[in-house]
Amino acid sequence: MEARRLAILYSHLCPFPSVSVPSLSSIVSPSACAPQSKETFPHDCVFCQIIRGDSPAFKLYEDDMCLCILDTRPLSSGHSLIIPKSHFPSLDTTPPSVVAAMCSKVPFISNAIIKVTGADSFNLLVNNGVAAGQVIFHTHIHIIPRKAGDCLWTSESLHRRTLKVDQETSGLANRVRELLLNISEENKDQVSTLS
């Protein structure tokens, strides 16, 4: 697992070893939000380097909050990543306003990708944490174009079980609701109705 994560990380650091890449400024420009020097930037991950313009990437979209680039190890043609311009190591550490800004771009960006690639649909994916397959610890959302019968996920052939309506399931739901209620009471900013 460690070797796989290192290989993927290396592919992001050296994404185009044998491909002629257009000038860096035509692919991605430094973000107005990004500091101008590495010394003032506390998280020097590959996505931070791309945001600063220090590393090449094929930029699809950019605004004040986020950047969308092509994945250097795509699962399908058009596989893209939406990345916040501020460094957050995981989705659960990313402020709701940043997650909202990223997610609000999904329909706009995915529609363009679907049209260009001729895909039928797409998966929206977040690998949050090591066990979930996260290899770059800077929050990002994958847009993965799909075509009927592409057999991209082996899990698509797995038979899904019906949720059991029993005491264990009821207890799980109750514990999650209780935790959410406690969290919302602590953070009056996030109002949620629980039933």
Side-chain angles (χ1 to χ4, degrees):
M1 183 70 158
E2 185 68 26
R4 178 181 168 267
R5 289 202 332 259
L6 290 173
I8 292 171
L9 182 57
Y10 177 76
S11 74
H12 285 284
L13 292 172
C14 302
F16 315 107
S18 61
V19 177
S20 174
V21 178
S23 73
L24 193 58
S25 62
S26 69
I27 298 171
V28 65
S29 55
S31 162
C33 301
Q36 297 303 311
S37 73
K38 290 181 182 179
E39 291 76 33
T40 61
F41 208 69
H43 304 285
D44 201 33
C45 74
V46 66
F47 290 162
C48 293
Q49 292 171 11
I50 289 168
I51 290 163
R52 278 198 316 269
D54 293 343
S55 226
F58 287 100
K59 177 174 63 172
L60 303 180
Y61 174 85
E62 182 173 16
D63 64 22
D64 290 344
M65 294 284 286
C66 60
L67 174 67
C68 181
I69 60 173
L70 288 175
D71 193 305
T72 61
R73 305 274 301 190
L75 294 173
S76 64
S77 177
H79 181 169
S80 306
L81 306 171
I82 300 176
I83 306 163
K85 287 188 171 179
S86 298
H87 183 93
F88 303 100
S90 60
L91 188 64
D92 53 317
T93 62
T94 307
S97 61
V98 175
V99 174
M102 294 168 63
C103 289
S104 72
K105 306 305 181 289
V106 170
F108 176 65
I109 295 169
S110 63
N111 284 333
I113 292 169
I114 295 295
K115 286 178 184 171
V116 170
T117 62
D120 302 319
S121 54
F122 67 94
N123 285 113
L124 192 62
L125 176 69
V126 176
N127 298 324
N128 192 63
V130 174
Q134 184 177 5
V135 294
I136 298 178
F137 293 89
H138 182 125
T139 297
H140 55 288
I141 299 172
H142 295 257
I143 298 175
I144 306 168
R146 300 294 304 274
K147 292 185 179 180
D150 63 12
C151 299
L152 184 59
W153 309 119
T154 56
S155 63
E156 290 172 345
S157 64
L158 296 177
H159 177 69
R160 294 181 67 168
R161 298 176 305 227
T162 303
L163 179 67
K164 291 181 183 177
V165 181
D166 60 10
Q167 195 169 18
E168 183 179 342
T169 303
S170 178
L172 172 69
N174 286 336
R175 289 190 306 275
V176 171
R177 281 194 298 264
E178 183 179 325
L179 183 59
L180 291 172
L181 184 60
N182 290 339
I183 291 170
S184 67
E185 286 175 2
E186 292 172 10
N187 302 318
K188 299 288 183 188
D189 302 340
Q190 298 175 1
V191 177
S192 173
T193 38
L194 302 173
S195 53

